[in-house]
Amino acid sequence: MIYDIEYETMPREALQAIQLKRLQATLERVYATVPFYRDKFEQAGITPADIRSLDDLGKVPFTTKQDLRENYPFGMFAAPMDNVVRIHASSGTTGQPTVVGYTARDVKTWSLLMARSLMAGGATRGDMIHNAYGYGLFTGGLGVHYGAERLGASVIPVSGGNTKRQIVIMKDFGPTILTATPSYTLHLAEVADEMGISFGDLNFKYGIFGAEPWSESMRQEIERKLQINAVDIYGLSEVIGPGVAIECYEAKQGLHIFEDHFLPEIIDPQSGEVLPNGKTGELVFTSLSKEAFPIIRYRTRDISALNPQPCVCGRTHVRMTRISGRTDDMLIIRGVNVFPSQIESVLMEMDYTEPHYQLVVDREGSLDALTVKVEVGENHFSDEVKQLQEMSDTIAKNIKDYLGVSARVKLVEPKSIPRSEGKAVRVIDKRKL
Ligand code: DLL
């Protein structure tokens, strides 16, 4: 089902006309109100009037995370604080947090996009949504919450944590849709299991998971364990929060980007050159309707590709492939580039490992060393040392064969890797400590 049939199925020409109009208005807005953008445009020798077509966007300079840091906390706001009704911030695990703001109209737009997203992921008015994304400065909790209310579904604002209580609520209230990070979802499944409750006996039909990278094999694992249909939702605080793009449950083949509100580009992360559809590179977004925190050509560091092919669901909005990594989470191990998601895919193919792992990178002498810690299933942990050795050798061999990188594989006890209530920490890079 489609929430906003007119806009979500709009023919491309009409969509592009809206994009251009909104882009020009956004550029005018930031030029008039944000000194950072005015300076950038002046340095590039352009004014908003120079952008006469969507192709002209290439003339506009990029915005980076560093730019946002330098304007911390409110320097990028394009609306007076009197008109700002909400503030969120990114977690800031990689440095200073990024602070973003919303006017009342921005909150309305966001709610609309989240209502569209939830419906694309399988939710309808009649559903009850168990929302286990964290409420707070993180955009996940409140983003889903407002979208659910806009859709007319019932939302349980349970947030992350108190996991046992969550399971009791699931059992007693019978929610039909689960929203959470994929890693917390696996933890929920594990705790339910410990409490003797099977997800198969609960009422869930769909799960809408995102906020962190997860592989196709992880999806299959979640679908099997929870007996639900799992879709991928993408977004980032700087652009709006969740609700930038989502898979439709009908196809589950790429995430539709809400192009009437966000203009995507894929660039070569080294040269900054815009790449054609189908090519993999760094995602760049320009917001088209935001008031308090418009963002121009923002380099997300997320890696994806765009697919403009029509989709079986009827939506005309371009699809992005699932995020395969971030330009800054690529590990370079003795010269070989590898993304954590690639290692995840190898691990998930084994039937004796659990979907809980951590990658530890360290330096031994002048060389990088990668250790892959992965939990083995309960029924394998008691196996003989020789068998465990064979298992870890096989994983190491597969990692070498598929990814070309040598890794030390450590099979660890079930439940020994810390569980997350939000985004999982998959990589510990001791070289940076
Ligand atoms: O994670 C917004 C969100 C909340 C999305 C709930 C989906 C669901 P931030 O905390 O600002 O915002 O983190 C944004 O998380 O640049 C990606 O690197 C990563 N990310 C988000 N969704 C996905 C996804 C929220 N589906 C950063 N797959 C982004 C892979 C994702 N990575």
Side-chain angles (χ1 to χ4, degrees), residues 133 138-139 211-213 232-237 302 323 326 423:
Y133 284 115
F138 175 55
T139 52
E212 64 183 5
D232 190 9
I233 180 166
Y234 169 83
L236 60 167
S237 323
D302 292 323
I323 302 288
R326 289 174 56 82
K423 301 185 191 231

Side-chain angles (χ1 to χ4, degrees), residues 369-381:
L370 170 65
T371 306
V372 177
K373 284 192 198 168
V374 59
E375 292 181 10
V376 276
E378 293 278 1
N379 45 348
H380 287 287
F381 197 67

Side-chain angles (χ1 to χ4, degrees), residues 65 89-91 114 133 138-141 144 180-182 208-214 232-243 245 255 298 300-302 320 322-326 328 423:
K65 184 95 176 170
S90 70
S91 55
M114 278 308 299
Y133 284 115
F138 175 55
T139 52
V144 168
T181 60
I208 300 176
F209 305 124
E212 64 183 5
W214 54 312
D232 190 9
I233 180 166
Y234 169 83
L236 60 167
S237 323
E238 296 89 325
V239 175
I240 204 161
L255 297 83
Y298 182 62
T300 64
R301 301 187 283 189
D302 292 323
M320 55 182 256
R322 80 168 45 239
I323 302 288
S324 58
R326 289 174 56 82
D328 54 0
K423 301 185 191 231

Side-chain angles (χ1 to χ4, degrees), residues 241-259:
V244 174
I246 185 156
E247 283 178 329
C248 53
Y249 69 88
E250 295 96 329
K252 291 199 279 191
Q253 294 279 337
L255 297 83
H256 291 280
I257 297 172
F258 294 120
E259 277 187 284

